[in-house]
Amino acid sequence: MLTLVRACMAIALAVALLGCSAVRRAPVVQGQTLKVPPGALTRIAVLPFTHRDTLRTSGATEVSPEIAAELVTRFVTDAMAKRGFQVIPASDLVTAFNAQGLRAHDINPRTASEVAASKFGATAILMGQVSRYRERAGESYGATSGASVAFNAILYAAPVAQRFWNQGFDETQRPLSENIVNARRYPGGGTRWLTAAELAQWGAESMIATIPIER
């Protein structure tokens, strides 16, 4: 009888894992999509992400807050390109801002959208901020705590700086033993501990997937 019960439990667990194995989207919090102006997604300029002054990084492979912001900027830019958007990279925006005596991290959405539209024909700009970027403690199969990443992104129409989309990603990887269904969402199916970069890239792709495609 005990053997039968164990067999039934094993089958139930296998079915549960199979049912959620296709789920890979990360949680996106505080998301909002307003009315998208016609043509706003034609050409999107990505500004360098900023980081909160309180941002702290940790772990054996610690990166600086500035590098964390650069990594998230790159992941978001790559995710947009993969989705088919025509993207103006952050490096081009920085060059244009510097030529006008502006620092990318200090300008407001209005100024950024005007410069992006006039210099590159951008119809929208994407700005964001990294608020947490903590590395896992340990190796991929033996970490004592998971990576933890949080950042937000906002889309503004250019050159009028009208906000029409914003999303926030906030995730700390939990162990498989804590919640099997939840852990299976992660790349690798929860069988290993992700790096902060892997977690951030997963979040960027999930976030950009929520941008509405114009019909």
Side-chain angles (χ1 to χ4, degrees):
M1 182 64 178
L2 182 58
T3 301
L4 179 60
V5 171
R6 287 177 176 172
C8 291
M9 291 177 64
I11 293 173
L13 176 60
V15 171
L17 293 178
L18 180 62
C20 60
S21 61
V23 179
R24 288 291 182 269
R25 176 164 293 184
V28 176
V29 298
Q30 299 178 343
Q32 184 180 33
T33 300
L34 305 176
K35 184 177 181 180
V36 180
L41 300 177
T42 302
R43 191 170 172 83
I44 303 174
V46 179
L47 274 72
F49 274 46
T50 61
H51 62 82
R52 286 186 182 175
D53 293 337
T54 56
L55 176 66
R56 295 291 182 271
T57 59
S58 62
T61 55
E62 176 183 352
V63 299
S64 67
E66 291 75 19
I67 294 299
E70 290 179 10
L71 287 171
V72 173
T73 302
R74 190 183 76 199
F75 296 147
V76 169
T77 301
D78 290 346
M80 294 181 70
K82 288 179 182 178
R83 189 138 189 253
F85 293 114
Q86 186 175 0
V87 182
I88 303 165
S91 58
D92 289 357
L93 269 295
V94 170
T95 300
F97 294 145
N98 289 341
Q100 298 190 31
L102 302 170
R103 294 200 309 169
H105 287 62
D106 295 334
I107 64 175
N108 57 47
R110 169 71 72 175
T111 302
S113 64
E114 290 175 350
V115 172
S118 63
K119 296 296 184 181
F120 303 102
T123 57
I125 62 170
L126 185 142
M127 305 177 70
Q129 184 180 69
V130 182
S131 55
R132 189 172 66 255
Y133 196 93
R134 189 173 67 241
E135 190 55 86
R136 71 189 181 200
E139 302 300 323
S140 59
Y141 294 102
T144 55
S145 64
S148 184
V149 175
F151 58 89
N152 73 287
I154 306 174
L155 269 174
Y156 296 93
V160 296
Q162 174 188 352
R163 180 175 60 86
F164 61 85
W165 174 94
N166 64 270
Q167 293 285 355
F169 172 77
D170 188 340
E171 181 74 14
T172 300
Q173 186 176 9
R174 304 298 181 185
L176 180 65
S177 59
E178 184 175 307
N179 186 320
I180 294 177
V181 175
N182 182 68
R184 291 286 293 180
R185 297 175 305 114
Y186 299 116
T191 59
R192 62 184 178 85
W193 293 93
L194 305 177
T195 63
E198 289 174 321
L199 193 64
Q201 184 174 19
W202 180 54
E205 292 174 351
S206 299
M207 176 183 286
I208 297 306
T210 70
I211 298 177
I213 298 294
E214 293 179 326
R215 302 295 182 184

